[in-house]
Amino acid sequence: MKNVASVHRFVDQVAIYVGDGSTTYLTAKQARALARALRDCARSVVNEKFFESSFGTREVPRVTLEE
């Protein structure tokens, strides 16, 4: 099975699935925060050497349907 990432809308949430993991549901606000973190990390990969990177770790709180 090839690795794949998918994004779709599920009612009023953004659903994301990466690889062989489970689907995670985000609010629109969380999806925007995740998009910014991915953008910033990609910029760091392109513009900085790994050992010079100041990117660190960004966290986006997860929301599931049960909450």
Side-chain angles (χ1 to χ4, degrees), residues 39-64:
R39 180 199 62 210
D40 293 347
C41 187
R43 283 183 180 161
S44 174
V45 168
V46 169
N47 296 319
E48 302 173 309
K49 294 182 180 182
F50 176 72
F51 59 87
E52 295 174 341
S53 174
S54 60
F55 178 75
T57 300
R58 309 259 178 103
E59 293 186 2
V60 178
R62 188 173 94 159
V63 172
T64 61

Side-chain angles (χ1 to χ4, degrees), residues 6-65:
S6 62
V7 177
H8 64 274
R9 181 174 177 170
F10 184 78
V11 189
D12 287 335
Q13 293 182 318
V14 177
I16 59 172
Y17 172 88
V18 179
D20 292 331
S22 61
T23 300
T24 300
Y25 300 89
L26 305 172
T27 63
K29 183 176 180 178
Q30 290 170 314
R32 286 190 297 273
L34 179 59
R36 284 190 297 272
L38 289 168
R39 180 199 62 210
D40 293 347
C41 187
R43 283 183 180 161
S44 174
V45 168
V46 169
N47 296 319
E48 302 173 309
K49 294 182 180 182
F50 176 72
F51 59 87
E52 295 174 341
S53 174
S54 60
F55 178 75
T57 300
R58 309 259 178 103
E59 293 186 2
V60 178
R62 188 173 94 159
V63 172
T64 61
L65 291 178

